[in-house]
Amino acid sequence: MADQEGGRLLTHTIKDVAKLAGVAPSTVSRVIADSPKISAKTKARVKAVMAELGYHPNVHARNLVNKQTNVIGVIMPSVSYAPFQNPFFPEVLRGITAQANEDKYGLYLSTGQLESDIIEEVKEMVHSRRVDGMILLYSTTADPVIPFLLEENFPFVVIGRPPEQLEGVVSYVNNDNVKAAKMLTEYLLLLKHQRIGFIGGRKDAYVTLDHREGYCEALTSAGLEINEGDLVYHDEVFEGGEQAVIELMAQVTPPTAIIVADDLMALGVLRMLSSMGYQVPKDISVVSFNNVLMSELASPPLTTMDIQIYELGFKSAELLRKRIANPDLPMQAVKVGHRLVRRETSQAIERQ
Amino acid sequence: MADQEGGRLLTHTIKDVAKLAGVAPSTVSRVIADSPKISAKTKARVKAVMAELGYHPNVHARNLVNKQTNVIGVIMPSVSYAPFQNPFFPEVLRGITAQANEDKYGLYLSTGQLESDIIEEVKEMVHSRRVDGMILLYSTTADPVIPFLLEENFPFVVIGRPPEQLEGVVSYVNNDNVKAAKMLTEYLLLLKHQRIGFIGGRKDAYVTLDHREGYCEALTSAGLEINEGDLVYHDEVFEGGEQAVIELMAQVTPPTAIIVADDLMALGVLRMLSSMGYQVPKDISVVSFNNVLMSELASPPLTTMDIQIYELGFKSAELLRKRIANPDLPMQAVKVGHRLVRRETSQAIERQ
DNA sequence: TTGTATGCGTTATCAG
DNA sequence: CTGATAACGCATACAA
């Protein structure tokens, strides 16, 4: 009955409890599962012993026989996305955490630094049955993860959207990024801006493609033509914004407004513009996406498109839970709304 | 040999591999462990079969017999700390992730929202042997988690510092927050500031207590007396900064400089000051701690104390790994350096 | 160098 | 209502 060895506490097993309570191990197991076929009396006795021993079931033994873990995997994008610099990720994690906690689900975080690490990690998670399902925190065009998970018929949800050819097969939670970008563009158009710059993120991210599409739609509908020089793309979150400004403003007639993929990037834009002597919003308007806390704290505070990041996380966990419970459920797509948060970086054009 | 059932892929076991390779299961197991007593020939053959089948060992079976998981638990502070709003946490997670990835360790994230949830979650993690060790991302005075882990003799590392009475028993990674705060105060003193406000975070957090101590030390050494009205504390990250300014500046003779617990809070301070018509740094200097990315993007960019958050995370994971490998190791404390990053929110006092 | 047998802590099936 | 007992998938001591 030694329960310490080398100072290391040995956990009790179901057998210890059984012995002490004078019942069979299977009975203890039933008590844990709160089986209705156990008399209240034995239940009470066993529970008392469990408490006395500080007994907790070993998760690995349990997972082994149950073939499920009650853990969901969260796949972060590779570091090249700067996932830990951009407040998007903490916020989406917050939503996932909240829902997971409600469902008594645990969270297993991917640690892969490179793109190549990530697919390997995902494979390991799936094959070794480490998690019951996953949430992908990104969506890009050439990503190998989605096809793999599909082939394995493993429950997963992507935040963002899957490639067109997989539309209707992959469950996801997303904003209508096309519409959001269109709205943002139209807003600037209504402020009489005619030349609008567009700073996108990674070219292989679907958000970027969708933003671009919305931007173009709005311009076309307004009878304006798209000036290729007005569209630039940058990977790096903050520095990218700074670089982009140079490219945009170096044109013979520079834009009077800029749409930026991300709030953080917009801060870079603001800073570079200010260093060039431009005043925002007097000389040039700047609007962006995401509405993270920081956008309110910027100076001037950013006009930005709120995309309900927390909801994105919360709903994805919710959707995943459903799919784990019923893996043969048809694909589902959840839309999360957006809304323009007007602050102080946008204004109507003044000069004629 | 059906490997699909209800559309759900069944993972292969060590036996499948054994059969297909024409060896015993134990041999396969040895190949996985890369045992030296297996001939290169069989090793190759078995490995080929593993690859062909896409075999990965079932982690639960393995954890069950090995009594270890290769997973470390990361305990976030309760939401009242706004862990997901403050860039400190993503950054420390980045460090942990990098080191964990190197060591082939997985990360299990706590999801508890309330303080009371958290201790329960920790107990479950320990008793059910879900993780091999943990990292606590916070340290407060009345926290029940540390005593519990100590009693269980469970490997853990805290980022921050343990209570005094547990000093020498608990391993931790921390900055010298007293010194850092003292240095920051002395810097302002050298800039001829005589009245320095202090905005601390949660009163039960050791960082706050240490900051306060350093602040007082510096003032006392300079022969100045401590004006209780100059010290205020706030929990909420951003709004707290705004509130604090009111309290500080409402004094008959307000301070000419302010030390703020956190960059994010400092943004709130800047904003409130600006709305009151104060110019930073001309009218009042503002300095803070952490040097998160955002502090550079603020306007004006913040003078702040860099505390190497990434290192804090990285080293804690490193230390934990050691302690897991050798649980009887005497307690260790790792210090991480700090350095003042001078930007544009601090300047010498002008008027006499 | 490889195979056989047993146990890790649970759950579930079958008797009783 | 409760008790044996056989899996779950792997690792290891012991044989060969």
Side-chain angles (χ1 to χ4, degrees), chain A residues 7-8 56-57 59-60 63 69 85 97 101 106-109 111 113 127-129 153 238 271 293 296-297 299, chain B residues 7 11 56-57 59-60 69 85 101 106-109 111 113 127-129 153 238 271 293 296-297 299 327:
Chain A
R8 190 63 166 282
H56 285 246
V59 287
H60 305 114
N63 291 343
T69 65
Q85 280 191 39
T97 299
N101 189 244
L107 247 46
Y108 187 85
L109 213 64
T111 65
Q113 311 281 302
H127 285 140
S128 68
R129 301 273 123 183
N153 199 8
F238 173 64
R271 192 156 98 166
L293 175 60
E296 189 189 337
L297 310 186
S299 66
Chain B
T11 23
H56 286 248
V59 287
H60 306 112
T69 64
Q85 279 190 40
N101 189 243
L107 247 46
Y108 187 85
L109 211 64
T111 65
Q113 312 282 301
H127 285 138
S128 67
R129 304 273 125 182
N153 199 8
F238 172 64
R271 192 157 97 165
L293 174 61
E296 189 189 338
L297 310 186
S299 65

Side-chain angles (χ1 to χ4, degrees), chain A residues 240-314:
Chain A
E242 302 201 314
Q243 298 302 313
V245 170
I246 302 179
E247 303 174 55
L248 246 28
M249 304 309 283
Q251 300 179 86
V252 275
T253 59
T256 62
I258 303 180
I259 294 180
V260 192
D262 178 278
D263 291 331
L264 199 50
M265 220 177 199
L267 291 190
V269 169
L270 287 187
R271 192 156 98 166
M272 183 56 88
L273 284 174
S274 141
S275 79
M276 289 173 168
Y278 289 100
Q279 300 220 28
V280 175
K282 198 171 135 302
D283 303 329
I284 184 164
S285 288
V286 174
V287 299
S288 53
F289 290 90
N290 288 11
N291 190 33
V292 296
L293 175 60
M294 190 189 309
S295 61
E296 189 189 337
L297 310 186
S299 66
L302 290 170
T303 292
T304 180
M305 187 61 79
D306 186 289
I307 59 167
Q308 303 195 54
I309 303 176
Y310 176 91
E311 282 298 302
L312 247 23
F314 193 90

Side-chain angles (χ1 to χ4, degrees), chain A residues 26-48:
Chain A
S26 50
T27 302
V28 178
S29 177
R30 290 186 184 104
V31 173
I32 295 169
D34 200 28
S35 158
K37 2 188 195 177
I38 297 288
S39 75
K41 210 191 304 172
T42 29
K43 233 177 218 177
R45 185 152 37 97
V46 171
K47 275 185 181 164

Side-chain angles (χ1 to χ4, degrees), chain B residues 88 92 158-160 172-180 305-316 318-319 333-339:
Chain B
F88 175 87
V92 77
V158 359
I159 293 186
Y172 62 90
V173 179
N174 200 10
N175 307 100
D176 191 332
N177 288 317
V178 177
K179 255 199 189 148
M305 187 62 78
D306 186 291
I307 58 166
Q308 304 196 55
I309 303 176
Y310 177 90
E311 283 299 302
L312 247 22
F314 193 90
K315 294 227 164 119
S316 67
E318 203 172 36
L319 180 54
V334 175
K335 281 286 171 213
V336 169
H338 57 259
R339 73 174 217 287

